[in-house]
């Protein structure tokens, strides 16, 4: 059922039957296959659990080294389960540099499980914490601390090492789904790598919800933790950028965006007033079964009409693009042409997710696999590139299940 029949020869060698593999490995651990987000405070993560021959392996996927957003993802094994030597499944922790060692997996419920290492001494290095930090830094950032001249960035890196190293013996994972797609979507939804200044590269899930698109953090940082909605794009408000020379002027771009922000604010006020009037009409209605004006049916028609318009307009001719003077970008190798831009908002906050607020910005669609976001208030630019990995067992059973998952991971982050 899971492709194990291709490994019959291996089964004969090890003396393990197909029945044992199915009953004691695949059936027992079927609920942990798919995509998961580890509970590592604000940092989160992306775990992919797959069947590989006679093994079930949990691979942690890591973004490429900052700022190379177009490079492929990195991955390393965190645990594996197998029936190679015994008639019962063996769980092994793969953390550290001393090879597989004894571990344990507890399936809390269908969409949650935890791992525990029973031999954490295998995680330690002879050189102590300093050697562990240097090794982690090379793997996580691809450089030494001396190569990083920005003092604030050094502090953030050291903080992440201290925090995440506390979770090397026990972790809890919660299921996540890939976003469902529709023919009317601007581009195919999915997972993207994005630049986040001194925090490095982070993983964001782009999903479409009628006239809005949302970018939800799968990995995060102490300012905006994993699970929070980092950007929101208003697909009903495309932006007409100025010509390339005027685009270099930040004040000109800012003027255009703030005008649209004011228009959106007025529309939201009008929508709230209409909603209040509809609520009053519903309370006064003598027939509870009567469908109020502008109810679900009308809203569905409006959304469909908007989506149809988007479909017709989502592939316009490309136009020249350049970042305005003064806007900081970690990656100067961004595309110099774009398809279309939209008004959007980006979430910013102080350390510890204090005083969060949504601020105006520009969503820039470059092509099917890359987009950007200009954070107006921060005067910074994030570039996002699609994660081109075929994840199995990651589809949401329904649109409602996906929306519920988004709601859950955001509430946990808050």
């Amino acid at each position: 059922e899971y492709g194990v029949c291709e490994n019959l020869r291996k089964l004969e060698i090890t003396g393990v039957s197909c029945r044992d593999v199915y009953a004691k490995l695949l059936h027992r651990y079927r609920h942990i296959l798919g995509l998961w987000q580890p509970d590592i405070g604000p940092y989160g993560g992306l775990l992919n659990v797959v069947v590989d021959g006679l093994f079930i392996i949990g691979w942690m996927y890591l973004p490429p080294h900052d700022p190379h957003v177009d490079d492929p993802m990195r991955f390393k094994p965190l645990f594996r389960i197998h029936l190679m030597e015994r008639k019962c499944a063996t769980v092994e922790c793969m953390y550290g540099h001393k090879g597989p060692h004894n571990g344990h997996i507890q399936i809390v419920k269908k969409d949650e499980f935890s791992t525990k290492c029973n031999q954490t001494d295998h995680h330690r290095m002879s050189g102590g914490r300093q050697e562990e930090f240097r090794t982690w830094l090379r793997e996580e950032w691809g450089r030494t601390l001396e190569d990083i001249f920005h003092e604030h960035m050094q502090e953030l890196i050291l903080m992440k090492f201290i925090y995440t190293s506390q979770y090397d013996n026990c972790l809890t994972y919660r299921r996540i789904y890939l976003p469902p797609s529709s023919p009317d979507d601007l581009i195919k939804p999915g997972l993207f790598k994005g630049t986040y200044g001194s925090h490095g590269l982070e993983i964001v899930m782009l999903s479409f919800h009628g006239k809005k698109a949302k970018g939800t953090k799968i990995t995060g940082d102490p300012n905006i933790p994993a699970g929070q909605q980092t950007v929101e794009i208003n697909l009903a408000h495309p932006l007409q950028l100025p010509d390339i020379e005027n685009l270099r002027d930040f004040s000109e771009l800012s003027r255009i965006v703030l005008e649209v922000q004011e228009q959106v604010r007025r529309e939201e006020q009008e929508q709230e007033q209409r909603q209040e009037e509809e609520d009053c009409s519903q309370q006064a209605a003598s027939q509870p079964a009567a469908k109020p004006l502008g109810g679900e049916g009308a809203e569905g028609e409006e959304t469909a009409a908007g989506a149809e318009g988007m479909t017709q307009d989502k592939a316009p001719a490309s136009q020249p693009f350049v970042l305005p003077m003064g806007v900081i970008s970690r990656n100067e190798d961004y595309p110099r042409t774009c398809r279309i831009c939209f008004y959007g908002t980006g979430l910013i906050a102080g350390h510890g997710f204090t005083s969060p607020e949504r601020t105006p910005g520009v969503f820039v669609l470059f092509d099917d696999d890359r987009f950007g976001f200009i954070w107006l208030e921060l005067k910074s630019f994030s570039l996002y590139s699609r994660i081109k990995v075929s994840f199995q067992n990651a589809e949401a059973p329904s649109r409602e299940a996906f929306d519920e998952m988004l709601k859950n991971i955001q509430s946990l982050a808050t």
Side-chain angles (χ1 to χ4, degrees):
E1 181 179 357
Y2 294 93
V4 173
C5 289
E6 300 173 1
N7 296 276
L8 286 175
R9 186 178 61 83
K10 295 180 182 178
L11 291 175
E12 292 173 358
I13 294 173
T14 59
V16 181
S17 70
C18 273
R19 185 183 297 273
D20 283 338
V21 171
Y22 181 79
K24 299 176 181 179
L25 183 67
L26 300 179
H27 183 73
R28 180 179 177 184
Y29 291 101
R30 68 192 184 281
H31 290 312
I32 72 170
L33 299 178
L35 286 180
W36 302 83
Q37 185 183 53
D39 183 7
I40 314 179
Y43 298 104
L46 181 66
L47 180 82
N48 185 30
V49 184
V50 299
V51 174
D52 187 356
L54 300 179
F55 292 86
I56 290 178
I57 303 178
W59 295 97
M60 182 69 87
Y61 276 75
L62 307 169
H65 293 139
D66 178 57
H68 307 293
V69 71
D70 284 326
D71 285 359
M73 294 286 285
R74 300 173 295 127
F75 50 92
K76 63 179 182 180
L78 289 194
F79 63 83
R80 70 181 185 183
I81 315 167
H82 64 89
L83 281 176
M84 295 295 284
E85 299 175 355
R86 305 178 185 177
K87 291 299 178 81
C88 61
T90 298
V91 178
E92 293 178 320
C93 176
M94 306 290 285
Y95 191 91
H97 299 269
K98 296 183 180 179
H101 46 284
N102 189 23
H104 174 73
I105 286 180
Q106 180 181 1
I107 300 177
V108 181
K109 50 188 177 182
K110 184 179 179 182
D111 293 326
E112 184 178 321
F113 76 97
S114 61
T115 58
K116 182 180 180 182
C117 176
N118 296 329
Q119 295 177 281
T120 53
D121 56 302
H122 280 64
H123 305 171
R124 306 281 75 86
M125 291 185 171
S126 57
R129 295 288 276 175
Q130 287 188 349
E131 183 184 0
E132 292 169 14
F133 174 63
R134 287 194 297 270
T135 302
W136 176 86
L137 190 59
R138 285 196 302 271
E139 294 176 350
E140 183 86 5
W141 293 85
R143 63 185 86 173
T144 66
L145 200 62
E146 290 73 24
D147 296 330
I148 302 169
F149 302 108
H150 198 292
E151 185 176 344
H152 179 58
M153 193 172 183
Q154 290 181 343
E155 293 173 354
L156 291 171
I157 290 171
L158 185 58
M159 182 190 309
K160 184 174 183 179
F161 170 73
I162 294 172
Y163 194 100
T164 57
S165 61
Q166 301 174 34
Y167 289 83
D168 66 347
N169 65 330
C170 188
L171 266 177
T172 298
Y173 302 86
R174 294 180 178 86
R175 183 180 297 279
I176 57 176
Y177 298 116
L178 292 177
S181 61
S182 163
D184 295 326
D185 292 339
L186 189 65
I187 59 173
K188 182 181 178 182
L191 297 172
F192 291 78
K193 305 152 282 182
T195 55
Y196 279 87
S198 298
H199 297 296
L201 299 189
E202 299 183 13
I203 301 173
V204 169
M205 177 183 289
L206 180 69
S207 57
F208 291 91
H209 309 260
K211 292 184 177 180
K212 290 186 177 180
K214 298 178 181 179
T216 304
K217 281 195 172 188
I218 302 302
T219 63
D221 54 66
N223 289 80
I224 308 297
Q228 290 294 336
Q229 186 182 312
T230 174
V231 294
E232 181 176 283
I233 303 101
N234 193 322
L235 299 175
H237 286 278
L239 292 177
Q240 182 61 50
L241 296 181
D243 60 68
I244 196 69
E245 290 303 319
N246 287 326
L247 182 56
R248 296 180 185 275
D249 183 358
F250 178 80
S251 61
E252 177 63 14
L253 178 65
S254 180
R255 179 190 65 79
I256 294 172
V257 174
L258 294 179
E259 284 181 358
V260 177
Q261 181 189 37
E262 178 61 23
Q263 180 183 351
V264 170
R265 186 189 66 80
R266 289 196 304 268
E267 291 175 356
E268 289 176 347
Q269 286 182 341
E270 292 171 359
Q271 177 64 31
E272 289 176 2
Q273 291 175 357
R274 286 196 298 269
Q275 187 62 50
E276 290 177 0
E277 293 171 359
E278 289 175 6
D279 292 342
C280 292
S281 298
Q282 289 178 7
Q283 292 175 4
S286 58
Q287 297 294 331
K291 197 168 191 177
L293 183 62
E296 184 178 351
E299 183 181 351
E301 292 171 6
E302 182 183 356
T303 302
E308 183 180 354
M310 283 304 307
T311 303
Q312 296 171 355
D313 298 336
K314 72 178 181 180
S318 61
Q319 55 184 315
F321 177 81
V322 65
L323 287 176
M325 296 293 292
V327 173
I328 301 170
S329 175
R330 296 286 296 175
N331 194 328
E332 293 298 329
D333 190 25
Y334 62 87
R336 291 317 196 259
T337 60
C338 67
R339 288 185 186 175
I340 192 170
C341 299
F342 292 92
Y343 170 79
T345 58
L347 184 62
I348 64 173
H351 187 86
F353 197 48
T354 54
S355 305
E357 62 173 316
R358 303 211 67 86
T359 59
V362 182
F363 171 85
V364 186
L365 179 63
F366 295 114
D367 52 45
D368 287 340
D369 297 322
R370 288 178 297 179
F371 65 87
F373 192 82
I374 301 175
W375 307 75
L376 227 60
E377 188 164 323
L378 300 178
K379 281 193 174 183
S380 69
F381 173 74
S382 293
L383 178 63
Y384 301 82
S385 179
R386 186 181 299 277
I387 296 176
K388 298 178 181 179
V389 178
S390 297
F391 295 109
Q392 303 297 317
N393 303 297
E395 301 300 324
S398 66
R399 180 80 208 194
E400 291 73 22
F402 176 78
D403 291 339
E404 185 67 22
M405 180 273 297
L406 278 188
K407 188 187 303 181
N408 287 340
I409 64 173
Q410 184 171 354
S411 64
L412 289 169
T414 305

